[in-house]
Amino acid sequence: MNVYDGLRITAMLERHGYVHTDDIADADIILLNTCAVRAKATEKVYSALGRIRLAKKKDAIYGIVGCVARESGSDAFRKLKDLNFVLGPQSYHKLPEILSDPNTKLLDINLGGLEKFDELPPITKSPLVAYIPVQEGCNHCCTYCIVPYTRGPEISRAFNDIMAETMHAAEVGAIEICFLGQNVNGYKFTDKNGKTYRLSDVIKATAKIDSVKRIRFTSSYPTEMTDDLIELFGTEKKLLPFLNMPIQSGSDNILKRMHRQYSISEYMAIIDKFKNIRPDIQISSDFIVGFPGESDDDFEQTMHAAKHVGYINSFSFKYSPRPHTAAAIMPDQIPENIKSERLIKLDDLLNERQREFNLSCIDKTFECLYEGPDKTGKKHIYRTPYMQPCIVTTDNPTNMATITITSANKSCLHGKIID
Ligand code: 5AD
Ligand code: SF4
């Protein structure tokens, strides 16, 4: 979501005559687009702002946009007195106000809904992967999560707006479309004629665009997986066989305390449905370890669930207490050292499974999407349908390539282009 917001902000600043620079000392405006989901991310923002302040030109304006802006509000100005703007995730289209008068202080952390989508100029050139948000905010109230506070209640965008943006992205170069939402599979929009559109309708319409070759979406809430969407995986070949469906914990007791609205057996039944419809599907997940009250036994159940599903690529985090959340004030917080031990154990398991899956890809052939040159500039990185990075040697990288995998390790594949 932040990548998308960043591209729209860039397009807006370009329209005001700005050009991108990586050199802070050269910039006239510097903004940090921020994430507040864990405390560490928020802390990093303030240390980065301190560094920017020292490195920037004296009259350059600087500020923050995104979820930390919303979390901090006017406190940000107290922490850094010369900060110029603090704009929440639904207010960054107001940035031009400060460009016309850099002496004002601009604070807007309102949750204005979908206004930003209409007010921002469209991107002029798309990367090969275009991220298209189908909704803002989230109506689930997971007790650990700050997102409902920072991004507000869930609002689905109009179907026609999503399709217009998707078609435009395809026209200006996108080959893969990734639909975004905090609860992307809960997308639901009813137009003025009473016709209701779900994510499956968005995907079906997108698949009709010839130049779009791959479609995916993130992040899914398990119990919002409706049959129309699951069945689409059986018929729509452009949908990648790779799905992010966060389990968070493998213990029913902890899921209840997290206010996740499913049990482990319900979650596993959804995975089975997918596997029946699309046997080559692979799943990734998010995990939180050390949630308040998590016992050794609860944690073992998480290990068990992770082993059972065999996730091929996951994100795992130590629970981080966040302001405006119910879990932050639960009494039975877990000590940091136990959280760390559990994270190491879980990561070992997840990494081993990732390595195993990567090795199982050797000698297989995939249609892959170009990402860019590797660090040396001599080789090129592609993404397989499972989003694994695959390194190849070629003088002539094409946008899509048929690649046979020749070797693999935990973090990447190597292959040769056969077509
Ligand atoms: N602590 C740790 N991880 C969190 N996440 C969300 N809130 C927290 C928190 N307070 C994780 C969840 C979510 C991912 C985006 O971030 O796993 O799926
Ligand atoms: Fe946060 Fe996701 Fe839960 Fe929404 S569904 S509250 S974004 S973890």
Side-chain angles (χ1 to χ4, degrees), residues 35-39 142-147 182 219-220 244 246-248 258 260 285-289 291 315-323 325 327-328 339:
C35 169
V37 86
R38 281 168 294 278
C142 303
T143 52
Y144 51 80
C145 186
I146 195 174
V147 168
Q182 252 74 42
S219 187
S220 294
N244 173 256
I247 189 171
Q248 309 296 0
M258 288 177 162
R260 300 286 288 181
S285 179
D286 296 359
F287 292 89
I288 297 177
V289 299
F291 184 81
F315 303 95
S316 42
F317 311 103
K318 287 191 269 186
Y319 167 69
S320 164
R322 307 303 293 126
T325 63
K339 287 187 202 169

Side-chain angles (χ1 to χ4, degrees), residues 38 40 248-249 258 285-291 294-296 298-300 302-303 306 314-320 334-352 410:
R38 281 168 294 278
K40 209 161 156 194
Q248 309 296 0
S249 165
M258 288 177 162
S285 179
D286 296 359
F287 292 89
I288 297 177
V289 299
F291 184 81
E294 185 187 69
S295 65
D296 286 341
D298 290 321
F299 174 67
E300 282 312 316
T302 298
M303 294 286 282
S314 291
F315 303 95
S316 42
F317 311 103
K318 287 191 269 186
Y319 167 69
S320 164
I334 303 295
E336 207 50 35
N337 61 330
I338 295 185
K339 287 187 202 169
S340 301
E341 276 168 26
R342 289 180 183 167
L343 187 64
I344 291 170
K345 261 178 125 178
L346 178 62
D347 279 347
D348 282 350
L349 181 91
L350 295 171
N351 287 339
E352 186 43 35
K410 189 235 131 197

